[in-house]
Amino acid sequence: MNKISIIGAGMTGSTTAHWLAERELADLVLVDVVEGMPQGKGLDMLEAMPIIGRDVEIVGANDYAATKGSDIIVITAGLPRKPGMSRDDLLAANADIVGKAATETLKYSPDAIYVVLTNPLDTMAYLTLKLNKLPRERVIGQAGVLDSARLRAFVALETGVSVENIQCYVLGGHGDEMVPLTRHSNVAGVPLREYLPADKLDAIVQRTRKGGGEIVNLLKTGSAFYAPSAAVAQIVEAILKDKHLILPCSAYMQGEYGLKDLFFGVPAVLGRKGMEKIVEYELDADEKALFDKSAAAVKETHEALKKIAKI
Ligand code: APR
């Protein structure tokens, strides 16, 4: 049986375990700093397995030794942004947490593939790759599957067509400057731009850009977790089943799209080796301009990280 360790057993971490257990893909370990919490959630979930008929071992722990021999490490540990906290404060706090999670887990699982979810996402993936000195295949940031799923969900609501017929690609950095590629998105092969009037499509794109904020405003405390964790589960499944599934992921750029030395949302082929290949779309001038603007924003956060982390 494969083994997956999830660092951070909060909302996204425990829901990731839930989606993964249902798929019966791997034994699961939940790690968190809060005493008893990952153990309690792990045991509770384990007791659900007879009901749903899945043979999955699930354990919780407060130390990294329990993660030994993992095929995949999912990092969701982190602090949410609190009132009065700047983005840089959040960056420093989460860099500390993610940095420790990355280096400690590597000691026990030297061959693991990392899937990173903690925000600021692209920069936390960059930190994981640099600190652990991993080849780029083995570090994947989750952002694009979620952003694209939001766009797909809104298109489905607008058109009444099954979500399965709707393919959308939201690329770029995971932030306000994300790049919804409407030209490459379609409903059963019909381009989105032909399927929907421009004003409707524009409203949907705007709602997608602010998708995370919409949920935060509704929840008041905490941020989205069902869709982000479902996205992680899809990435993990594509890897473990060696599917060569193309998904929008945050990947380390080495010249693709004219970008270097940053994590950025692009379509990537996922298989047993991890992020096996970046797919390059031909972009028109407008799309390229949006890409470059988004890349500049990500680069800025990477630079801020370099000032505080030893990478
Ligand atoms: N080691 C392990 N776990 C930690 C550590 C640490 N050093 N520091 C904090 N944690 C745990 C917290 O105890 C908490 O249980 O990380 C968990 C985070 O869970 P939540 O607060 O519920 O946050 P969640 O909604 O899961 O989001 C986590 O994912 O989507 C992103 O923006 C989101 O960066 C955030 C992250």
Side-chain angles (χ1 to χ4, degrees):
M1 192 73 159
N2 289 305
K3 178 169 174 176
I4 302 170
S5 291
I6 301 167
I7 316 306
M11 298 310 287
T12 53
S14 57
T15 329
T16 297
H18 186 185
W19 293 115
L20 288 173
E22 285 226 289
R23 284 168 150 91
E24 206 178 35
L25 280 172
D27 290 332
L28 304 170
V29 179
L30 285 166
V31 177
D32 203 286
V33 281
V34 179
E35 248 176 69
M37 184 269 270
Q39 292 88 340
K41 286 187 176 178
L43 182 59
D44 188 15
M45 217 176 289
L46 181 88
E47 290 166 0
M49 294 305 104
I51 303 170
I52 65 166
R54 300 288 185 272
D55 290 304
V56 175
E57 268 181 36
I58 310 166
V59 295
N62 298 119
D63 63 85
Y64 289 102
T67 66
K68 190 173 169 31
S70 296
D71 297 279
I72 296 187
I73 307 281
V74 177
I75 301 184
T76 77
L79 299 181
R81 195 161 148 199
K82 300 201 183 87
M85 206 175 180
S86 73
R87 275 182 200 277
D88 283 348
D89 293 340
L90 180 73
L91 177 71
N94 281 352
D96 212 40
I97 294 168
V98 170
K100 182 154 186 267
T103 51
E104 288 298 313
T105 48
L106 192 71
K107 288 180 194 163
Y108 295 100
S109 305
D111 300 321
I113 293 170
Y114 284 79
V115 180
V116 182
L117 189 67
T118 306
N119 277 312
L121 182 272
D122 303 288
T123 302
M124 292 301 119
Y126 184 79
L127 176 71
T128 302
L129 178 116
K130 293 285 174 183
L131 275 182
N132 280 355
K133 299 187 173 53
L134 294 174
R136 73 169 183 173
E137 290 75 16
R138 287 174 52 196
V139 183
I140 299 158
Q142 187 303 116
V145 175
L146 168 65
D147 295 329
S148 305
R150 285 184 173 141
L151 182 53
R152 293 171 69 192
F154 300 149
V155 170
L157 284 177
E158 183 62 40
T159 59
V161 172
S162 165
V163 290
E164 289 191 84
N165 283 136
I166 300 167
Q167 293 301 326
C168 295
Y169 297 92
V170 179
L171 306 181
H174 186 48
D176 302 344
E177 311 286 355
M178 67 179 74
V179 186
L181 282 186
T182 53
R183 194 165 63 94
H184 302 75
S185 303
N186 66 76
V187 179
V190 180
L192 219 48
R193 289 177 182 185
E194 288 171 26
Y195 211 95
L196 286 169
D199 59 332
K200 288 253 159 57
L201 181 53
D202 194 46
I204 286 174
V205 164
Q206 291 316 321
R207 191 175 177 194
T208 301
R209 282 186 188 284
K210 297 184 165 44
E214 184 178 1
I215 308 263
V216 169
N217 287 338
L218 289 166
L219 292 178
K220 311 279 189 305
T221 56
S223 51
F225 54 95
Y226 287 118
S229 57
V232 171
Q234 189 183 29
I235 289 173
V236 167
E237 181 171 34
I239 296 169
L240 288 181
K241 290 189 174 168
D242 197 23
K243 280 174 81 82
H244 300 114
L245 182 65
I246 297 177
L247 289 176
C249 297
S250 185
Y252 185 65
M253 309 298 288
Q254 287 175 324
E256 294 86 358
Y257 293 99
L259 302 172
K260 260 193 192 148
D261 193 35
L262 82 159
F263 267 78
F264 200 63
V266 288
V269 180
L270 301 184
R272 194 60 190 83
K273 295 194 184 80
M275 198 290 294
E276 298 185 349
K277 188 174 183 298
I278 291 173
V279 179
E280 285 195 75
Y281 289 165
E282 283 204 10
L283 302 179
D284 63 24
D286 289 348
E287 291 158 354
K288 182 79 176 78
L290 289 174
F291 250 57
D292 289 344
K293 194 170 169 214
S294 182
V298 173
K299 201 83 196 178
E300 214 174 281
T301 316
H302 281 18
E303 291 307 319
L305 173 79
K306 284 185 200 165
K307 288 192 189 122
I308 52 174
K310 290 192 194 84
I311 51 170

